[in-house]
Amino acid sequence: MTSAPVAAPPGSATDRALASRLPSLTGLRWIAALLVFGFHAGTMRIIAEPDYQAVVGKVFTLGLSGVQFFFILSGFVLVWSARPEDSRRRFWRRRFAKIYPNHVLLWALAIGAAVWFADPINPVAALENLFLLQAWDPRPGYFYSVNNVSWSLSCELFFYLCLPLVLPLVRRARPWHLWAVVIAVPLLILALWPAQTLVPEQSRWWFTQVFPLVRSLEFWMGVAAAELMLRGRWRGPGLPLASLIFVGTWVVAAEWIRAEFWAALLAAAYILVIAAAADADVRGRRSPLRSRPMVWLGEVSFAFYLVHVFVIMTILRVTGDWGTGLPGWWGPAAVIGFLALTLGLAALVHRFVEQPMMRRLAPRRSPPAVQPGR
């Protein structure tokens, strides 16, 4: 079966460039990273004052879903940017060059900090983390080990390994197959709550929140939506309405919806805003997400995500405030300070580690042939 024709891009060179790069999705990466930062700011006891802590906790109750946002976005972007001339080996090498240098740097810094604080180091957990295998290990202390946010990279590595093998099937799939994936994923996420009773109680958090096979549902949702958009078959609201739905879903879920429904509702809201942002770039429509500051923030968001927990934890331990938080206004001020400091360090990591290693390790990409809708 041949693929349906993709949506025609705008006519100007600028519009075609936007359609190829989708800078609004880069801006969305920063929003996802900020959600995760806010969640950790509320759960890592930076703020000792209960009233101030309650405000941060209330605003970022659902911030952990920023990782879900990343997974859906990753599937969408990788399918959109896939080139027919790319071999599996070139794709895998490029993804390795993207994630591994930053990961190794933070792994080494976290191990160094553990030695400095005389923390016990589990060599098996450390090696699993180094090779990004930790998300497959349900044992407590293993999947969240060393730089604990890197569990999501373990999932991403699995997605990267699978995508080139599955993509030919995606390209041949009928539109209704792709729509079935987009619609089914929130329902499958919802089904995880009763399904987790089949797993030993001590492994249920790992099963629903970390296990790469389960977390790949979100990735494949993004894959299917991107393929639909490439064929001109996506139907969804524009960016203003999708953004309103996103914010409304966030507020309603946090205030009135039971926790077991959150992930399913947010998956639907996230795919709508991701597809709408991509469509705005394809059609050359206004999008604040592709402003220069937002794009820059999105570019450093990967380093920001990997750095932020390590920075917060290390500084609080050095100052003696780990587990207790800072009193009064010092707590909120520390959150802002951690945000600024982490962003500055992330910019350095992006500039002096991520970008140079990408140039050195990633295969060079030949200029693509002109393709409709790309």
Side-chain angles (χ1 to χ4, degrees):
M1 174 187 173
T2 57
S3 296
V6 299
S12 72
T14 300
D15 288 344
R16 286 195 298 271
L18 289 174
S20 175
R21 297 193 317 270
L22 299 184
S24 292
L25 298 195
T26 303
L28 276 178
R29 289 189 180 279
W30 170 246
I31 294 177
L34 190 60
L35 294 180
V36 177
F37 174 87
F39 175 79
H40 286 141
T43 57
M44 293 178 69
R45 292 298 303 275
I46 301 172
I47 302 172
E49 175 61 43
D51 291 340
Y52 300 154
Q53 171 66 23
V55 172
V56 176
K58 189 72 171 178
V59 173
F60 291 101
T61 297
L62 309 180
L64 187 60
S65 69
V67 178
Q68 180 184 38
F69 205 158
F70 274 128
F71 288 165
I72 299 172
L73 191 57
S74 180
F76 192 102
V77 170
L78 290 178
V79 168
W80 185 272
S81 61
R83 296 180 176 183
E85 70 272 15
D86 259 359
S87 66
R88 294 172 184 174
R89 181 176 178 181
R90 288 173 63 85
F91 173 83
W92 287 329
R93 181 178 168 186
R94 191 162 55 250
R95 301 319 301 167
F96 174 89
K98 171 65 176 177
I99 69 170
Y100 215 77
N102 284 7
H103 164 62
V104 171
L105 172 65
L106 268 297
W107 182 89
L109 290 173
I111 291 292
V115 172
W116 175 265
F117 290 114
D119 296 334
I121 297 175
N122 183 326
V124 174
L127 286 175
E128 284 184 355
N129 191 287
L130 176 61
F131 293 107
L132 294 178
L133 299 173
Q134 71 272 35
W136 296 93
D137 193 334
R139 292 176 291 178
Y142 285 78
F143 55 86
Y144 291 155
S145 58
V146 192
N147 185 32
N148 57 20
V149 297
S150 63
W151 71 268
S152 65
L153 300 189
S154 182
C155 292
E156 288 275 7
L157 181 60
F158 172 65
F159 307 159
Y160 299 158
L161 291 173
C162 292
L163 182 61
L165 306 177
V166 177
L167 190 56
L169 300 176
V170 174
R171 298 301 194 204
R172 294 194 297 269
R174 296 178 182 272
W176 74 267
H177 293 151
L178 301 171
W179 274 112
V181 172
V182 173
I183 295 169
V185 165
L187 300 177
L188 290 171
I189 292 172
L190 192 60
L192 289 174
W193 287 94
Q196 70 178 324
T197 58
L198 303 175
V199 178
E201 186 173 357
Q202 67 272 19
S203 298
R204 289 176 184 174
W205 175 266
W206 165 83
F207 176 73
T208 59
Q209 303 296 321
V210 178
F211 186 31
L213 281 175
V214 167
R215 297 312 302 257
S216 70
L217 292 172
E218 296 142 347
F219 178 81
W220 297 119
M221 185 186 200
V223 165
E227 181 65 18
L228 285 166
M229 180 161 284
L230 282 169
R231 300 186 193 184
R233 299 297 186 91
W234 177 261
R235 299 294 181 269
L239 185 56
L241 179 56
S243 301
L244 185 63
I245 292 172
F246 164 73
V247 174
T249 301
W250 183 278
V251 172
V252 170
E255 291 289 338
W256 296 292
I257 304 297
R258 292 172 55 181
E260 54 262 39
F261 297 104
W262 288 352
L265 288 173
L266 290 171
Y270 290 158
I271 196 61
L272 289 179
V273 77
I274 289 168
D279 185 66
D281 287 347
V282 169
R283 301 180 185 279
R285 292 174 176 168
R286 182 178 178 276
S287 169
L289 295 168
R290 63 168 177 263
S291 65
R292 292 184 66 180
M294 285 298 295
V295 170
W296 181 82
L297 289 167
E299 287 172 347
V300 304
S301 63
F302 175 53
F304 178 89
Y305 172 77
L306 286 183
V307 166
H308 78 282
V309 168
F310 171 76
V311 169
I312 294 171
M313 184 181 300
T314 301
I315 292 177
L316 289 179
R317 293 186 71 180
V318 168
T319 61
D321 296 304
W322 176 247
T324 59
L326 288 89
W329 281 101
W330 285 107
V335 171
I336 297 171
F338 281 133
L339 177 62
L341 176 61
T342 302
L343 186 58
L345 293 174
L348 293 175
V349 171
H350 176 71
R351 173 66 178 83
F352 295 107
V353 178
E354 186 176 336
Q355 289 184 315
M357 295 306 291
M358 278 286 291
R359 289 193 293 266
R360 180 180 295 271
L361 298 177
R364 294 186 178 181
R365 300 183 72 167
S366 55
V370 176
Q371 300 177 46
R374 294 294 184 92

